[in-house]
Amino acid sequence: MKKILVVLLAAAALFATACSKGAGSSTKVGVSMPTKDLQRWNQDGANMKSMLEKAGYTVDLQFAANDINTQISQLENMITGGCKVLVIASIDGSSLSNVLATAKKKNIQTIAYDRLIMDTDAVSYYATFDNYKVGTLQGDYLVDKLGLKSRSASDPVYMEFFTGDPGDNNINFFFGGAMDVLKPYLDKGVIVCPSGQTAKAQAATLEWSTERAQSRMENLITSNGYSPKGTKLDAVYCSNDSTAQGVTQALLSAGYDASNFPVITGQDCDITSVKNMIKGTQSMSVFKDTRTLASKVVEMVDAIMKGSNPPINDTKTYDNNVKVVPSFLCEPVFGDVNNYKALLVDTGYYKESELK
């Protein structure tokens, strides 16, 4: 009898251990990232894979080369390959309805990662940063650095505007948050946009492309005569670092240097942009610690596999045109030349040698 009891207790202990780790290494999670071409997606993918594997999952990580059909094909393979949960940073948030309908039929749950997946009821949860706050941080930074509160239309600042891909729902929050801060100054003439391109569609940058942002900024420089000795340019609002880097390259080619560089915003704290902040050719970048986001997604996956409720702190904001998607929003913070060491180096996000 004692032997039977020992065996039963041992079995119960093993079962409890397995449950505490989700379904263990037999459970496969599919992670779909848009591209390897941007540093942040490489970091996001690596963080996600590492943390999920440490939690006991098998991970199928795929990068879709910014091609929608490739992402759909990769997701189809994940579904047929036995993935129990899909974590997706979509290229185009409105293009995945059919493939996710297939996933839903197979009882595969989907977590939208950083970018909301639109027009489907098959997305279960959304993990991201407070994207509206990203925009307001950028807007508030410009208000502060340009002294907008103490200026008038007789002493305006001259600014141009860049945001990201129109297929990425996040630009509604990034650009919307920033414009909620800046529009009152535009309306009063305290901010002047010489090109007149202040609408989201006019400021959009397909694929968040550095090259496209550089080309557009070069056209703005030519058509408006911006240069250190020509038409004044005080700032360029950029929603993220890849667009900021394109703008920076165009301005450097036009003769600007650290002594007269316009205020440039950004997002992601990419290595190139942090180096530019140190050199004085980008002013700030909003830091979204992808380690925090990845760890929250692992908690979500664990909860799904255990049949419990994932961590959620927003049930009102993110409507994908079919449903309001339960979300967890992590907190973004801004980084600049004054705090980047404490924010990025001291926390182990980067090595100091990487920023030289």
Side-chain angles (χ1 to χ4, degrees):
M1 188 70 182
K2 287 183 178 179
K3 287 183 178 179
I4 294 173
L5 182 60
V6 169
V7 170
L8 288 172
L9 288 172
L14 285 170
F15 180 78
T17 300
C19 288
S20 71
K21 292 186 178 181
S25 60
S26 63
T27 301
K28 187 187 289 187
V29 178
V31 178
S32 176
M33 294 283 127
T35 179
K36 282 186 172 181
D37 292 342
L38 295 180
Q39 177 198 317
R40 72 143 306 177
W41 296 121
N42 284 314
Q43 284 182 297
D44 283 54
N47 285 335
M48 190 71 54
K49 188 173 190 293
S50 173
M51 290 186 184
L52 284 167
E53 287 176 344
K54 284 180 182 176
Y57 296 97
T58 298
V59 180
D60 182 0
L61 170 63
Q62 299 290 333
F63 296 86
N66 258 337
D67 182 78
I68 295 168
N69 289 329
T70 298
Q71 185 165 51
I72 291 171
S73 176
Q74 289 173 345
L75 290 169
E76 289 171 342
N77 291 335
M78 290 176 186
I79 292 167
T80 58
C83 290
K84 303 299 184 185
V85 180
L86 300 176
V87 180
I88 305 171
S90 61
I91 296 167
D92 183 328
S94 298
S95 301
L96 302 179
S97 299
N98 290 338
V99 69
L100 293 188
T102 301
K104 185 178 180 181
K105 287 178 183 176
K106 294 180 177 289
N107 295 317
I108 299 168
Q109 294 206 47
T110 296
I111 300 170
Y113 182 91
D114 196 58
R115 296 174 173 178
L116 184 61
I117 298 171
M118 306 298 291
D119 304 318
T120 175
D121 67 350
V123 56
S124 308
Y125 302 101
Y126 182 34
T128 188
F129 287 83
D130 186 337
N131 294 318
Y132 181 80
K133 186 173 181 180
V134 169
T136 61
L137 284 171
Q138 293 166 331
D140 288 341
Y141 189 92
L142 289 165
V143 169
D144 179 55
K145 291 300 175 182
L146 298 169
L148 297 185
K149 290 181 180 178
S150 61
R151 300 178 84 140
S152 67
S154 61
D155 179 31
V157 300
Y158 296 88
M159 189 184 306
E160 295 290 348
F161 296 83
F162 284 70
T163 191
D165 192 287
D168 183 348
N169 185 63
N170 282 349
I171 72 167
N172 296 315
F173 295 93
F174 302 147
F175 194 69
M179 292 304 280
D180 280 352
V181 174
L182 299 175
K183 191 174 184 300
Y185 299 99
L186 279 161
D187 292 344
K188 291 186 289 187
V190 175
I191 296 174
V192 174
C193 178
S195 71
Q197 296 176 9
T198 61
K200 181 178 63 178
Q202 295 171 312
T205 308
L206 286 174
E207 298 178 346
W208 296 90
S209 165
T210 296
E211 293 74 22
R212 292 178 190 272
Q214 180 173 345
S215 177
R216 177 169 170 250
M217 189 68 229
E218 287 170 348
N219 290 336
L220 291 175
I221 288 168
T222 300
S223 59
N224 293 283
Y226 296 131
S227 76
K229 296 180 180 179
T231 302
K232 186 181 180 186
L233 181 64
D234 296 293
V236 182
Y237 166 80
C238 296
S239 283
N240 84 323
D241 285 347
S242 60
T243 55
Q245 290 160 23
V247 168
T248 290
Q249 287 302 314
L251 292 172
L252 288 170
S253 297
Y256 290 92
D257 59 35
S259 69
N260 53 33
F261 221 77
V263 177
I264 309 289
T265 62
Q267 173 189 180
D268 294 328
C269 284
D270 285 353
I271 287 177
T272 297
S273 284
V274 177
K275 288 180 178 180
N276 286 344
M277 288 195 294
I278 295 168
K279 290 187 291 189
T281 57
Q282 184 171 324
S283 306
M284 65 85 78
S285 184
V286 176
F287 179 51
K288 304 191 303 186
D289 193 334
T290 55
R291 297 168 299 186
T292 302
L293 188 56
S295 67
K296 194 56 62 176
V297 170
V298 173
E299 289 181 41
M300 285 183 164
V301 171
D302 268 338
I304 289 169
M305 296 312 303
K306 293 173 185 175
S308 58
N309 294 322
I312 296 299
N313 62 9
D314 186 290
T315 57
K316 297 179 180 179
T317 305
Y318 290 94
D319 187 335
N320 77 346
N321 298 327
V322 175
K323 61 187 279 190
V324 176
V325 182
S327 306
F328 191 94
L329 311 183
C330 301
E331 281 291 304
V333 295
F334 85 84
D336 64 9
V337 71
N338 298 308
N339 72 348
Y340 79 91
K341 285 187 178 179
L343 196 63
L344 303 171
V345 178
D346 295 349
T347 63
Y349 196 77
Y350 293 135
K351 297 176 182 176
E352 193 157 12
S353 59
E354 293 179 278
L355 304 179
K356 292 182 179 178

